[in-house]
Amino acid sequence: MASALRDRSSSAVVPSITADVLDHISIPAFLSAPAGTATWLYTTLAIVFGLLALEQSVYRYKKRHLPGDNWTIPIIGKFADSVKPTMEGYLRQWNSGALSALSVFNIFIVMASSNEYSRKILNSPTHAEPCLVYSAKQILRPDNWVFLTGKVHVEYRRVLNGLFTRKALGIYVGIQDQITRKYLKQWLADAAADPSPKPIMMTCRDLNMETSLRVFCGEHINDAAAREIGEKYWSITVALELVNFPLALPGTKVYRAIQCRKAALKHLENAAALSKKAMAAGKEPECMLGHWVRSMEEPTYKGRKDFSDLEMAMVVFSFLFASQDAMSSGLIYGFQHLTDHPEILAKVRAEQDRVRAGDYERPVTLEMLDAMPYLRAFVRESLRVKPPVTMVPYKTLKAFPISDDYTVPVGSMVIPSFYNSLHDPEVFPQPDTLEPERWLDPEGSANQNPKNYLVFGSGPHKCIGLEYAMMNMALVLADAVALMDFEHVRTEQSDKVQIIATLFPQDGCLMKFSPRVHA
């Protein structure tokens, strides 16, 4: 029997129909490819999968026990979320823990939400330096003063502090008032021609841009140059996202922003040169550049004097960034908060009537602003409720032992957030409620906990122009309240936030303006 089976087995053949089927089966090319090609393909796939596995391992090693996704999307990480960031998304991240982790384009990021950790980052210059956003150095130039650290930054800042003294602010306030009145007059004329509600987002930016350019550069920058900067600067704003496409290729936001920066710096550099000539000719300073040049000529001046035209231009450029984004956001929400709270608007208006004593054409002065404590408290509170800047990214220079059980790896992005500190219910009871009165009590918890008021940051890189910014917002709102009636037309997007470098209402804040009739 065994012999028969062997004979049958040895003589067995594949049925012809089966053979035909096999002849027509398509074999994948890589399986039938020459041995060398297959080896190359398998090696490439092994390397790719190995790198992806390494990426996940490195992320998990850096993350350790911090809250955050256990695995990151290969290569891009949280890039999709960063393209269109939402306040809700940020709140989820902040509320997940005092420290939490994520990754975008293999940039490891640690978010700090508590006041303790946020202030520690802001006050640890030897461990971390400000990078604003990942694309900021490309856009603002890596040699811009805002990126300096250590002794050179301290010395630079000491000089720039002189640009925001009370004497300097006294020069600026007249320019601010004049330009504000010009814009309010235009807003009223536009409203008379078309009384339908209009978003004020871009008109407030236009107001701030012209105000800033004239305060900083005066008549040393001509109208055509001012218009070009104003028209192009929006490209810079939209490019300064938390995380952007990492390469400045033609057509990208970062590429367009760099071209705009080049054009703006050319005009600002020329303004600096003209300012030096004007001061050398004995003219009195009428803007920030003039005040800067003249102050360096004073016998009591101590500090560096050899600022090039380009260095002065880069300083003004960085101030423009702050005034265009943070100040515009604060002003727009100031208008929205006033009209959404008629009881607060009534108090601000009563204070204006008292201070102006019936003379509404009289230009605002520093002394008049000093006599408006309720308005100043409102501005401070409005900025707390809707802080223009919710966080400022830093980059670690070396391993940063931020807590007892966690060290941020070198080269990581570490981001202190301000929102939770500004909405801490223990410091600000009913934190989402707009309550200017909380700033009128020197013994109240708001005034007794200045460490929580991080609207302008903290530490060696705290906003240098905070007095100027708050003065400008107060002055614009003061003139608007005194000269106009305005109504906020609410929509479903009024309370929703869009994040374009800073915070703005999603609907652009729809307003209707009309002249105020005084009794």
Side-chain angles (χ1 to χ4, degrees), residues 19 31 34 48 63 67 70 99 104 117 163 172 225 236 247 266 330 356 403 414 431 436 438 458 466 477:
L31 294 178
V48 170
K63 175 183 174 294
N70 289 327
L99 295 172
V104 179
Y117 292 141
L163 304 181
Y172 310 154
I236 294 172
L247 302 177
K266 179 181 177 182
R356 296 173 190 254
S403 69
V414 56
R438 72 172 86 236
S458 176
L466 65 94
L477 294 174

Side-chain angles (χ1 to χ4, degrees), residues 138-158:
Q138 294 174 282
I139 296 171
L140 301 180
R141 288 182 49 136
D143 54 343
N144 197 302
W145 81 278
V146 298
F147 302 116
L148 297 177
T149 57
K151 183 179 179 182
V152 63
H153 173 261
V154 172
E155 292 176 349
Y156 216 110
R157 189 180 178 95
R158 184 182 298 120

Side-chain angles (χ1 to χ4, degrees), residues 245-387:
F245 186 75
L247 302 177
L249 300 177
T252 62
K253 294 179 183 179
V254 175
Y255 178 85
R256 289 193 293 270
I258 290 172
Q259 306 315 305
C260 294
R261 177 256 291 165
K262 291 178 180 179
L265 280 183
K266 179 181 177 182
H267 294 307
L268 297 176
E269 196 171 353
N270 182 60
L274 291 175
S275 177
K276 289 176 180 178
K277 290 180 181 179
M279 294 303 100
K283 292 187 177 181
E284 288 300 312
E286 297 178 347
C287 64
M288 179 181 287
L289 284 173
H291 175 73
W292 188 354
V293 174
R294 181 54 52 82
S295 65
M296 289 189 292
E297 298 172 351
E298 295 177 357
T300 57
Y301 176 82
K302 294 181 180 179
R304 181 183 161 193
K305 296 183 179 182
D306 58 337
F307 289 96
S308 68
D309 297 341
L310 177 58
E311 286 178 308
M312 296 180 79
M314 283 195 290
V315 168
V316 172
F317 186 77
S318 67
F319 289 167
L320 276 179
F321 164 59
S323 64
Q324 275 310 100
D325 296 301
M327 205 159 71
S328 293
S329 171
L331 182 57
I332 291 165
Y333 275 115
F335 273 108
Q336 180 163 313
H337 286 152
L338 275 179
T339 50
D340 287 352
H341 297 83
E343 73 287 356
I344 294 176
L345 175 58
K347 293 178 181 179
V348 171
R349 181 158 283 161
E351 184 176 70
Q352 290 303 303
D353 293 341
R354 174 182 59 77
V355 172
R356 296 173 190 254
D359 186 358
Y360 297 97
E361 297 304 316
R362 177 188 173 193
V364 175
T365 64
L366 288 182
E367 291 71 25
M368 290 173 67
L369 289 171
D370 290 342
M372 302 174 187
Y374 191 81
L375 174 62
R376 296 201 311 274
F378 166 76
V379 169
R380 193 171 181 82
E381 178 71 350
S382 181
L383 289 171
R384 183 195 67 79
V385 172
K386 277 290 190 295

